[in-house]
Amino acid sequence: MANLCIIPARGGSKRIPRKNIKPFLGKPIIAYSIETALNSALFDEVMVSTDDEEIIIVAQKYGANVPFKRSDKNANDFATTVDVIQEVLSMYKKVEREFDYVCCIYPTAPFINAKTLNDGYDKLISEKRVSVFPVVNFSYPIWRGLKIKEDGGIGMVWPEYLDARSQDLKKVYHDAGQWYWLNCRSFESERSLFNSNSGCIHMDEMSVQDIDSDIDWKLAEMKFQLNR
């Protein structure tokens, strides 16, 4: 079986300029994704999909392949992860390279490690899933969520849980935003990152951090250092 790792890293990040190659505790943040993918020994090819010359140089420095540049169409603010994966698989097909499984690893995911990637791959194969990705539970029960009403007052989104104890409420999870393992055949037919036959790997809060602002970046660095 042939496995491909895609690391999507366009150059036009708006909220954190040059986010994908910004230094994170001593090296470009994308380097963590590249090195983990290479060291996992899971992939026949580790590639970076980008439109940016500087990102190409950084990606190649840390050992990733950049066999082609991303199209302008998929380098704008509206291109999705699905669009990028589709484009990459299509470009490889043009040079007669096809893969059975693909893992899309985000470039700003310094907490990923080879064990969770292997666990995800094992689950994908053993449980015959169409996709597997890491999830983390919300730190506070969303059932006790509040909303601001039109008159400026406050109310519960789900009033039926007003008197419920937080420990009695069902846990709810969200995408950890780190990676997706995908069955290529299923992905190309459904063009979706997950469906009713997706699986997950549970992560703890110290191993997950969205990085969309300068505060997020500082929190990620703090967590990373504590984990070490």
Side-chain angles (χ1 to χ4, degrees), residues 15 17 46 81 98 122 155 162-163 175 178 205 217:
R15 288 174 290 191
V46 175
T81 299
E98 295 196 40
D122 289 344
L162 175 64
D163 297 319
D175 186 345
Q178 295 183 350
E205 289 183 70
W217 194 280

Side-chain angles (χ1 to χ4, degrees), residues 4-6 43 81-82 85 101-106 117 120 124 130-134 175-183 192-194 198-199:
L4 171 66
C5 172
I6 301 172
F43 304 105
T81 299
V82 169
I85 297 172
Y101 301 101
V102 59
C103 186
C104 177
I105 299 177
Y106 286 130
L117 284 177
L124 185 78
V130 300
S131 67
V132 173
F133 56 96
D175 186 345
Q178 295 183 350
W179 50 262
Y180 300 93
W181 269 111
L182 302 163
N183 178 302
S192 176
L193 295 178
F194 67 96
S198 293

